[in-house]
Amino acid sequence: MLKLVEVEFCKLRRKKVMWIMLLAAFVMPFFAFLYFGYLGKTNIEPALFYKWSAFGCTLFLILPFILGLLSIMLIHDENQYDMLKQLWIVPVSKIGYFFSKFFIVFLYSLCFMIINAAASVLFSVIPNYVAFEWNSIAFLVERCLEIAGLTAFAALPVLAVTVSQKGYIFPMCITLIYIFAGFFITPVNSYLHPLSCISVIISRGGAVPGIALLEPNLPLAFFSMCVWGIASVALAVVTLGKRK
Amino acid sequence: MSIYFFLSLIFLGGVILYLLFKLRHIYQQISLIKEVLEDIKAGNLNRRVLAQDNDRIKEICYDINEIAMDSQAQLIHQKQSEQAYKSLMTGLSHDVKTPLSSLVGYLEAVEKGIVTGEEKEEYVHVAFEKAQHLKHFVENLFEWVKLDAGEQIFHFEVLDINEISRNIMADWIPVLESRDFQYEIVIPEQEYWMFVDINAYTRIINNLLQNILMHSQGDEMKFQILENSQEMKIILEDNGKGISAEHLPHIFERLYQCDNARSGKGNGLGLAITKELVSAHKGMITAESILDKGTKFIISLPQKNITR
Amino acid sequence: MSDRIIETKQLTKKYGNQTVVNSVNLHVKKGHIYGLLGRNGAGKTTIMKMILGLTSITSGSAEVFGKNIKGNEKRIYPRIGAMIEAPGFYPNLTGTENLEIFAKLRGTSAPDAVKKALEVVGLPYRDKKIFSKYSLGMKQRLGIANAILHDPEVLILDEPTNGLDPIGIAQMREFIKKLSTENGKTILISSHILSEIALLADDIGIIDKGVLLEESSMKELEKKNRKYILLQVSDVPKTILILERRFQVKDYSVQDEQTVRIYDTELNMGEINKVLVMEAIAVLSSGICNDTLEDYFRKITGGEGIA
């Protein structure tokens, strides 16, 4: 397993797109910077700024989209260059293959959110919108890591769909639908979709102003995510087994 | 307090799990090695143990593979020489049988009086030539077998190689002229002392020249000696039909004949003998050839070819 | 250890109601080069894929080392090296890096396996050139290097000379031959080019429309395909005398007390027979053996031949 992950890293050499995609982590902090700059306020509640820069669109749109793109890149490239038949006869176990990909997605997600957190701090403290204090930064970093981990799990369905398909167009569409569904389902029922579950978990205790739910049911959110995760792994294993 | 205790317990559990995992891995590796060794013992020398990068037992695996590989190479080498010997024997029997049958045919015709007069004379002459050829072949073969078995005794002396070469070539000039061969002979004036067996050296040159006369179908040849302090080079060129790339690597093999013709000319031993003789002088012989342009034989002999 | 490394029994593959491979019984012997010959689309690649477990088997079985691959993956795959179709590699990595990935996944048989494998196929070690910049020939070589990286016992090569120039083909042939003679590898190779297989293989299987038409050793086939006149006579010396004097035949060889092979096939057989009979030599049999391999294939594939 360790070997597989190591190899996954080797495969990513000279992939510039990977680095370029990390730039997306700056998008929301930058917009937050512009927005609050426009409002011309100083000494904003830190959580409010972070809600804009990290817990909002980053969580709902950008990160899932980037992770979906990454999954498709990781898997579709190998498919396109006909690597799989060479890997199977090594042999590489199909579950191991799937999880090594997932592990890369997970690590990438962590990197992305750490950068996002750093950018949020930079764009808030330097223009002096938010007073610099360790407490709020620790809170931000902690929540960002949570988002990173959870979103990686939320990307499992996309990964599974990509693994089961030869092309990249269908998985791409599924990714988009998946993300927008998350966006629209949240107001209706927060426990149906992994992405909305994440927002439930993140905003627990009313820490994030604005998305605080009436009665957050954390176990249910975790349970929903688990169901989605297990279902995706099962789908991946079955389709990988069938496809040769 | 209790939280530290709990954490260290978790840590300990992790360590134990890791060790157990490692142990299992090593156990698996060892049982794999055992399986492979059994297979190798049973004669499957192609079998290899694949070692992972971080394995402690990597060295052992590599050593096992090396041993298997070496014995495999030896076994194959042995089989190949066996095969070569077999094909030599069958080739020989054909090479002897064919001229012998034809010889018997001619003699029978003479003996039974089927041919008379001038024709009979001619038959006898042909039969004689065939017998000569056969004798020549058997002699060559005997010489080659002796060389191959390392039973030939050489008498090495310190001689002026240029002087010897001049003498040999002097004998060849009339032959070349009678065959309408244009020739160019370049031998340095000054003395060059080498430790050689004069008979063997003469034989080398003669064989190569004979080869050119018999097979090249050219009409020009060049004999050249180049010398420096380390080695001497003898270069023999002709402008004949050349040897195709397919045949070139095999021309020094015994009984190899390029044209596949069993027409009687040559016997496929000349170059094999030449090669053996050259290597007895610790030298090397190589051939270069361009089809329809000619062939170039290069013999290089080291100056200190025999430790005195 | 049994003599047969790869054996298939009634191997069949159907896509829908189209039968791509039909009851194929292959027997690849240890240390031999087995050439699978057939036109494009005859089912060669499918057979190889089924042997490797890369595609499902409709019915029948394929065994490697006497075992079914399914369920024995970890034991069998490390002993096989394969190149199926045009080999894929990571385009963003150099050849060396690509091989290092496989070396890491599979484990290695020697400390400098990657370097050796590249040397064998004539590619540079630690070159800066990435795979996407490779020429077709180099790609093919890298595929072979990957197949031999772990020094496997069996090689399964699907059209290894596809896309190579004539020099590359000759080199590849030399190299495959060498693997067999000097390293004792068992090799299953497929091709649609007759001459290629004829030059390489010890055994040959001819496949057409998914059916294995013939499986035999090359020696057997060659016996059927040499071009010469075979004469069986009562008196060999006398026959030779007549051949030499009357017909100026120089290119012949005596096989045994009764048989002569004449390699000059332009001769008039009728005339020779007549003269021999007149000279009171009994001609037991005579005939021209000039079926070329190509003719032979045309015959068994039903007239179309294999280009």
Side-chain angles (χ1 to χ4, degrees):
Chain A
M1 193 62 215
L2 208 66
K3 220 166 54 186
L4 280 175
V5 175
E6 214 181 318
V7 164
E8 282 303 322
F9 274 109
C10 292
K11 290 176 194 167
L12 293 178
R13 240 181 254 181
R14 292 190 200 91
K15 287 229 164 172
K16 291 199 189 86
V17 194
M18 298 275 299
W19 301 108
I20 292 168
M21 284 195 326
L22 276 181
L23 288 181
F26 289 97
V27 171
M28 281 326 285
F30 184 66
F31 273 117
F33 163 72
L34 288 183
Y35 174 72
F36 289 106
Y38 175 73
L39 288 182
K41 282 189 205 161
T42 45
N43 274 335
I44 317 158
E45 178 77 9
L48 198 65
F49 187 91
Y50 298 150
K51 180 200 157 196
W52 260 85
S53 68
F55 308 142
C57 278
T58 312
L59 159 64
F60 268 108
L61 293 175
I62 297 176
L63 182 59
F65 184 69
I66 293 286
L67 292 188
L69 217 59
L70 177 74
S71 314
I72 290 166
M73 250 171 57
L74 285 178
I75 288 162
H76 176 69
D77 274 9
E78 248 169 9
N79 241 327
Q80 189 187 350
Y81 306 122
D82 220 357
M83 291 303 301
L84 288 179
K85 65 182 183 217
Q86 298 214 60
L87 290 176
W88 297 156
I89 60 172
V90 161
V92 169
S93 81
K94 282 160 189 170
I95 301 172
Y97 169 79
F98 182 74
F99 277 110
S100 66
K101 296 283 180 210
F102 170 69
F103 195 76
I104 294 293
V105 171
F106 184 80
L107 284 183
Y108 193 84
S109 175
L110 283 182
C111 287
F112 189 94
M113 283 318 286
I114 287 171
I115 289 173
N116 183 275
S120 301
V121 172
L122 276 179
F123 281 117
S124 61
V125 172
I126 289 175
N128 220 1
Y129 296 156
V130 172
F132 181 87
E133 43 179 316
W134 284 113
N135 265 348
S136 64
I137 290 174
F139 167 75
L140 172 72
V141 171
E142 187 249 328
R143 286 293 149 100
C144 278
L145 292 182
E146 270 176 37
I147 291 175
L150 291 169
T151 314
F153 278 99
L156 268 176
V158 175
L159 203 60
V161 168
T162 319
V163 159
S164 66
Q165 292 293 320
K166 260 214 155 98
Y168 62 94
I169 296 176
F170 181 70
M172 204 65 226
C173 297
I174 290 288
T175 310
L176 290 175
I177 292 169
Y178 180 72
I179 292 166
F180 285 113
F183 204 66
F184 293 118
I185 285 176
T186 311
V188 184
N189 186 337
S190 301
Y191 305 103
L192 278 180
H193 197 284
L195 287 176
S196 55
C197 291
I198 295 172
S199 72
V200 172
I201 297 167
I202 293 303
S203 59
R204 66 178 182 272
V208 181
I211 1 178
L213 286 147
L214 293 175
E215 37 188 285
N217 189 343
L218 288 185
L220 185 63
F222 275 113
F223 175 74
S224 162
M225 285 197 67
C226 277
V227 169
W228 274 89
I230 290 167
S232 328
V233 173
L235 172 74
V237 169
V238 168
T239 48
L240 270 179
K242 255 192 206 154
R243 250 190 58 203
K244 298 273 182 173
Chain B
M1 189 61 212
S2 71
I3 186 96
Y4 289 115
F5 178 73
F6 187 66
L7 277 179
S8 57
L9 211 65
I10 287 179
F11 179 73
L12 205 70
V15 169
I16 288 174
L17 259 172
Y18 173 76
L19 286 179
L20 277 177
F21 182 74
K22 205 75 200 163
L23 208 64
R24 201 187 71 133
H25 182 73
I26 290 175
Y27 177 77
Q28 276 175 346
Q29 272 287 317
I30 288 179
S31 64
L32 180 73
I33 290 177
K34 185 167 169 276
E35 188 192 311
V36 171
L37 276 177
E38 262 161 22
D39 203 8
I40 290 175
K41 213 163 81 183
N44 183 9
L45 291 172
N46 264 317
R47 190 74 192 261
R48 304 278 177 270
V49 203
L50 299 184
Q52 306 299 345
D53 242 0
N54 46 2
D55 269 351
R56 273 297 178 77
I57 12 185
K58 192 163 80 172
E59 296 303 318
I60 301 176
C61 298
Y62 287 164
D63 283 346
I64 292 172
N65 290 339
E66 214 178 304
I67 293 170
M69 225 143 67
D70 287 350
S71 359
Q72 167 87 344
Q74 260 175 24
L75 194 77
I76 282 172
H77 184 75
Q78 203 178 330
K79 263 190 194 153
Q80 274 175 344
S81 53
E82 232 167 72
Q83 192 69 37
Y85 182 72
K86 258 187 211 155
S87 73
L88 174 73
M89 288 329 273
T90 41
L92 267 182
S93 72
H94 276 252
D95 281 342
V96 174
K97 227 189 263 170
T98 305
L100 208 56
S101 298
S102 126
L103 180 61
V104 170
Y106 278 90
L107 288 178
E108 217 172 49
V110 173
E111 207 217 20
K112 287 191 177 153
I114 298 169
V115 286
T116 48
E118 219 167 86
E119 210 181 352
K120 181 180 165 186
E121 291 288 302
E122 201 199 321
Y123 268 44
V124 172
H125 181 69
V126 172
F128 178 71
E129 269 187 355
K130 290 205 181 258
Q132 279 289 348
H133 178 255
L134 200 60
K135 175 174 170 255
H136 193 65
F137 176 75
V138 173
E139 275 168 5
N140 264 327
L141 182 69
F142 187 59
E143 190 180 344
W144 181 83
V145 168
K146 246 164 88 177
L147 276 170
D148 193 49
E151 280 173 16
Q152 178 89 329
I153 297 158
F154 292 99
H155 301 282
F156 287 103
E157 315 165 68
V158 178
L159 296 165
D160 176 11
I161 204 85
N162 293 343
E163 179 65 24
I164 304 173
S165 307
R166 259 191 296 277
N167 289 340
I168 299 171
M169 290 316 290
D171 289 342
W172 272 97
I173 287 171
V175 182
L176 291 170
E177 277 170 355
S178 72
R179 298 279 196 100
D180 289 328
F181 247 86
Q182 299 282 316
Y183 56 88
E184 190 189 343
I185 297 170
V186 185
I187 300 173
E189 288 293 324
Q190 74 274 23
E191 293 167 337
Y192 191 80
W193 298 98
M194 291 273 293
F195 203 53
V196 291
D197 178 313
I198 186 164
N199 288 328
Y201 181 73
T202 312
R203 194 66 211 277
I204 292 171
I205 305 295
N206 283 349
N207 273 355
L208 287 180
L209 280 164
Q210 225 153 27
N211 197 56
I212 288 175
L213 282 185
M214 235 189 299
H215 300 297
S216 74
Q217 292 171 11
D219 57 5
E220 268 174 47
M221 59 101 29
K222 186 179 177 190
F223 180 93
Q224 193 181 7
I225 291 185
L226 299 172
E227 287 155 354
N228 64 26
S229 55
Q230 272 108 45
E231 58 166 14
M232 67 171 295
K233 269 201 166 98
I234 304 159
I235 301 167
L236 252 170
E237 281 176 81
D238 67 59
N239 68 337
K241 63 179 176 180
I243 302 165
S244 72
E246 171 191 348
H247 293 308
L248 201 58
H250 306 289
I251 54 167
F252 295 112
E253 286 169 17
R254 56 205 156 172
L255 295 178
Y256 192 85
Q257 283 173 307
C258 298
D259 33 20
N260 284 330
R262 293 140 190 86
S263 47
K265 268 201 306 184
N267 49 40
L269 283 169
L271 286 178
I273 291 171
T274 309
K275 191 186 177 190
E276 293 288 336
L277 289 172
V278 170
S279 56
H281 287 80
K282 305 243 180 328
M284 281 234 306
I285 180 163
T286 54
E288 296 164 11
S289 185
I290 301 166
L291 219 51
D292 298 324
K293 284 272 155 57
T295 312
K296 189 177 185 180
F297 285 98
I298 302 160
I299 302 170
S300 48
L301 298 175
Q303 227 274 311
K304 296 192 179 83
N305 52 355
I306 301 289
T307 41
R308 268 173 277 184
Chain C
M1 183 110 231
S2 90
D3 203 28
R4 283 170 184 158
I5 298 281
I6 301 173
E7 192 169 9
T8 69
K9 287 180 193 135
Q10 302 293 321
L11 193 67
T12 304
K13 174 85 183 174
K14 283 180 184 160
Y15 288 117
N17 51 9
Q18 196 186 1
T19 310
V20 192
V21 174
N22 196 352
S23 305
V24 167
N25 298 308
L26 279 187
H27 307 89
V28 181
K29 293 197 199 94
K30 192 176 178 181
H32 282 219
I33 300 179
Y34 189 107
L36 201 55
L37 183 67
R39 250 168 288 148
N40 290 330
K44 293 166 295 179
T45 304
T46 314
I47 291 177
M48 289 183 157
K49 278 187 167 173
M50 281 195 280
I51 291 171
L52 283 169
L54 285 174
T55 186
S56 60
I57 296 170
T58 310
S59 68
S61 71
E63 288 181 349
V64 186
F65 302 113
K67 282 182 207 125
N68 224 318
I69 281 217
K70 205 141 205 131
N72 289 306
E73 287 96 340
K74 284 215 160 155
R75 311 241 131 182
I76 294 182
Y77 279 136
R79 301 169 67 182
I80 309 177
M83 186 179 85
I84 299 291
E85 292 166 321
F89 286 102
Y90 299 103
N92 52 323
L93 305 183
T94 66
T96 312
E97 285 164 356
N98 265 304
L99 288 194
E100 272 165 356
I101 282 185
F102 283 97
K104 202 167 268 174
L105 287 174
R106 254 194 300 241
T108 44
S109 63
D112 50 353
V114 172
K115 195 175 166 199
K116 265 193 213 152
L118 284 170
E119 239 164 51
V120 165
V121 296
L123 287 176
Y125 179 63
R126 293 240 166 272
D127 193 21
K128 287 263 156 54
K129 202 171 191 173
I130 60 172
F131 182 74
S132 57
K133 298 260 159 53
Y134 270 29
S135 68
L136 198 59
M138 287 172 88
K139 286 179 179 176
Q140 207 79 0
R141 279 160 206 258
L142 193 66
I144 300 266
N146 181 31
I148 60 166
L149 184 59
H150 51 307
D151 205 0
E153 292 157 68
V154 189
L155 284 172
I156 297 180
L157 306 173
D158 186 18
E159 303 259 7
T161 54
N162 229 359
L164 295 184
D165 55 281
I167 296 169
I169 290 177
Q171 281 174 341
M172 185 72 80
R173 196 191 303 132
E174 271 309 297
F175 159 71
I176 291 170
K177 195 99 202 170
K178 217 170 123 188
L179 277 177
S180 165
T181 54
E182 285 178 21
N183 300 321
K185 308 263 181 249
T186 308
I187 299 170
L188 172 61
I189 186 173
S190 79
S191 178
H192 63 277
I193 301 164
L194 166 63
S195 59
E196 206 174 275
I197 294 285
L199 284 168
L200 259 180
D202 301 310
D203 299 314
I204 189 166
I206 301 154
I207 187 155
D208 191 44
K209 297 186 183 104
V211 181
L212 190 67
L213 294 175
E214 165 130 9
E215 185 182 54
S216 83
S217 77
M218 208 58 211
K219 271 192 195 131
E220 286 293 312
L221 277 186
E222 260 165 16
K223 259 186 210 160
K224 297 176 189 169
N225 293 295
R226 265 274 205 63
K227 225 175 184 162
Y228 54 83
I229 297 171
L230 194 73
L231 263 184
Q232 276 196 301
V233 289
S234 56
D235 188 342
V236 168
K238 214 166 164 189
T239 308
I240 290 174
L241 185 67
I242 291 163
L243 287 172
E244 275 197 24
R245 306 302 298 185
R246 294 267 188 97
F247 298 97
Q248 275 78 45
V249 176
K250 287 263 157 61
D251 196 2
Y252 61 84
S253 79
V254 179
Q255 298 296 306
D256 56 42
E257 281 71 45
Q258 290 197 321
T259 328
V260 183
R261 280 187 185 186
I262 306 163
Y263 296 93
D264 183 357
T265 47
E266 302 292 295
L267 290 169
N268 182 346
M269 277 310 297
E271 192 69 20
I272 291 179
N273 275 342
K274 209 169 87 190
V275 173
L276 289 178
V277 172
M278 270 169 62
E279 295 283 341
I281 297 168
V283 179
L284 307 174
S285 82
S286 71
I288 301 179
C289 306
N290 70 343
D291 247 6
T292 61
L293 271 177
E294 211 129 352
D295 295 333
Y296 180 69
F297 288 119
R298 197 157 295 138
K299 216 156 60 196
I300 59 172
T301 54
E304 287 170 88
I306 293 167

